Amino acid sequence: MITYLLSWWIERMIRRMAFPCQAKDGATVSTPVLQTFSRGCTMGLRGYAHDVFQKEAQSIPWHLRAFFHEGHAMGAAGRSACSLSKRNPELTMAFTDYRVMRFVGYGFWNGAAMAYHAPGLPDHDRYWREVPAYAKHRLLMANGLGFSTVLFAGKFDQGIKTRFLAQQDVEWQKALFHGVGRVLWFLYLNNFSALRDLLLEHADIAEPLGIGLGLAIAFTQVTTPDKIRQDIEVFEESDQWNLIRGAGIALQVHASNDPACKMHVERLLTGDLLNWYEAASKASLVAGEGPDWYPRYHELTKHFVGLATVVSE
């Protein structure tokens, strides 16, 4: 019963979300994403059978499918956190596709839980000991947490920034700000003057914010590569480098989700964007499978995307 009430509440909350700081046509990008995410979350909270969930996932346009899986993971996390058994939601997943999106979704639930005083999903090793992938992907939960914390607050203010800067784990802190950068795109979609001002205002964390922002710009507009390039060129040259790194990561993650997504991404990309994608793919591969994958991956994009950018020039 509690999970059905939660799913009703989340659906209602997402339907009523307003983004007054978005500019023209912002809603045409954000609304389909939020609706798809919300539907996935409902299915996760209500515990739909795996085959039913997968069938619906395959019916969704490929470029929105990642948000469906992320929402489903958020819902599965909420269902687990609010149950008596608190069984790890990853143990119910019978596939390895979309794993990056799932771990982001688990963190997304924790941000919502903090905002609305609901039970959270544990992020300590003991809870995840039966999930080998946790060691590699745990920092994605911080990324999701950063996104949802700011989303439910409706703003990125000094209070949230100070709280995140107080984190003792530096890599966790960076991942939080990657998530903040992603959500800034939703809050200020197409409002480039406001986004430029935010990067200037938070110059001390401009690198992780810029990576997250570039990731969101590319991830939400993967079907329109020219728009990705045009949007990045609107920013100051000093910020474009971080945005490019984030865009490469977004394209690589989209392609890694499932074989169909990989085919679509590689058919669409040419020129600079193809170079950024290939560089991020190489960075992910070289980063390996260990617990330092996330920071190594982000650090390696500096090198590989940098080389790709020099070659393209």
Side-chain angles (χ1 to χ4, degrees):
M1 183 64 177
I2 181 81
T3 54
Y4 275 76
L5 288 172
L6 276 171
S7 66
W8 170 83
W9 167 68
I10 288 172
E11 285 177 3
R12 181 172 179 269
M13 179 178 58
I14 290 178
R15 281 199 306 270
R16 294 188 171 193
M17 275 186 174
F19 302 104
C21 294
Q22 287 186 356
K24 183 181 178 182
D25 297 329
T28 63
V29 175
S30 60
T31 298
V33 168
L34 291 171
Q35 289 175 342
T36 305
F37 181 94
S38 175
R39 174 57 182 163
C41 185
T42 294
M43 296 189 80
L45 275 164
R46 296 186 179 182
Y48 276 63
H50 176 73
D51 59 336
V52 176
F53 164 71
Q54 283 287 64
K55 183 177 181 180
E56 184 158 339
Q58 291 304 309
S59 73
I60 292 171
W62 73 270
H63 63 287
L64 292 172
R65 211 171 291 158
F67 302 106
F68 186 68
H69 281 267
E70 183 184 357
H72 179 261
M74 177 196 176
R79 183 178 179 84
S80 176
C82 295
S83 70
L84 292 175
S85 69
K86 299 192 181 298
R87 186 168 185 255
N88 192 305
E90 186 66 12
L91 296 176
T92 68
M93 304 297 175
F95 56 101
T96 58
D97 289 348
Y98 293 91
R99 184 168 273 161
V100 166
M101 303 310 302
R102 291 208 299 274
F103 275 89
V104 173
Y106 298 148
F108 198 110
W109 169 261
N110 281 349
M114 289 174 62
Y116 294 98
H117 309 290
L121 197 68
D123 58 13
H124 54 72
D125 293 345
R126 187 173 67 259
Y127 181 78
W128 294 90
R129 64 177 178 270
E130 296 179 75
V131 182
Y134 172 72
K136 176 180 177 180
H137 294 101
R138 61 176 287 273
L139 289 172
L140 291 165
M141 292 178 66
N143 190 311
L145 174 63
F147 185 105
S148 60
T149 298
V150 174
L151 179 68
F152 291 115
K155 59 184 177 180
F156 178 49
D157 59 19
Q158 191 60 42
I160 294 174
K161 180 180 179 180
T162 300
R163 176 151 51 96
F164 285 176
L165 285 172
Q167 290 290 322
Q168 296 295 315
D169 184 332
V170 174
E171 298 304 336
W172 187 269
Q173 180 189 112
K174 288 179 183 177
L176 286 168
F177 287 125
H178 290 150
V180 174
R182 288 193 304 115
V183 77
L184 291 178
W185 177 238
F186 285 85
L187 296 179
Y188 298 91
L189 216 151
N190 288 341
N191 187 344
F192 296 105
S193 61
L195 288 167
R196 287 195 301 268
D197 288 346
L198 281 162
L199 290 178
L200 180 62
E201 178 185 352
H202 301 287
D204 55 327
I205 52 170
E207 180 176 354
L209 289 186
I211 290 170
L213 177 57
L215 194 155
I217 288 171
F219 208 85
T220 57
Q221 302 181 115
V222 65
T223 59
T224 53
D226 288 343
K227 181 68 163 57
I228 296 170
R229 186 183 292 105
Q230 291 165 12
D231 287 354
I232 289 175
E233 289 174 353
V234 168
F235 289 85
E236 300 293 335
E237 282 190 29
S238 57
D239 291 316
Q240 287 182 22
W241 170 233
N242 295 322
L243 293 163
I244 287 170
R245 289 170 62 194
I249 291 168
L251 299 170
Q252 184 270 321
V253 171
H254 254 309
S256 72
N257 281 327
D258 68 28
C261 290
K262 182 179 175 68
M263 177 190 69
H264 285 294
V265 167
E266 293 184 349
R267 282 181 177 175
L268 280 168
L269 300 182
T270 59
D272 288 342
L273 271 75
L274 179 60
N275 290 334
W276 303 344
Y277 159 68
E278 291 178 340
S281 298
K282 186 174 182 180
S284 180
L285 182 64
V286 173
E289 298 293 323
D292 59 348
W293 168 78
Y294 188 98
R296 287 199 70 209
Y297 176 32
H298 281 272
E299 189 63 27
L300 284 165
T301 61
K302 284 185 180 180
H303 176 65
F304 292 125
V305 178
L307 288 177
T309 304
V310 171
V311 168
S312 67
E313 291 174 351

